[in-house]
Amino acid sequence: MIIYSITITIKDAVADKWELWMKKKHIPDVMSTKLFKSFNFLKDLNEHNKYIIQYELDSMQDYLEYQNLFAIKLQTEHAKKFGNSYKAWRSLWTKN
């Protein structure tokens, strides 16, 4: 199992709009690729406007397929919508 994790910090001015857009548009679009089994949308209680979105995949092959077919389009859409109002860090994890 692979966990694709994205950590986001978002500016106050757009935080509510961003959170709603993530829940109603972006995450459903990612899940509609049918490559992910589930997701978690987490808000950090210790840091203001910091979120982690975790997507679970069956295999590294599924992750690479996502990267090759969908990631650029979805990430570009996010960047156009929220410009320089956020910072994002991406990482891959596995459960042992």
Side-chain angles (χ1 to χ4, degrees), residues 21-76:
W21 184 81
M22 288 296 289
K23 291 177 179 177
K24 298 288 185 184
K25 173 76 173 127
H26 186 76
I27 292 172
D29 287 350
V30 172
M31 295 304 292
S32 75
T33 67
K34 305 293 185 205
L35 294 167
F36 298 94
K37 295 172 60 171
S38 64
F39 72 92
N40 288 306
F41 185 82
L42 308 167
K43 184 172 183 175
D44 191 326
L45 297 176
N46 292 314
E47 289 194 45
H48 189 64
N49 291 338
K50 182 177 180 181
Y51 298 81
I52 297 175
I53 304 96
Q54 299 174 326
Y55 298 99
E56 183 180 329
L57 304 107
D58 281 328
S59 68
M60 192 64 181
Q61 182 178 347
D62 288 342
Y63 171 75
L64 293 173
E65 186 174 342
Y66 170 74
Q67 287 297 308
N68 289 330
L69 299 177
F70 302 104
I72 292 172
K73 176 185 177 282
L74 292 167
Q75 290 170 10
T76 300

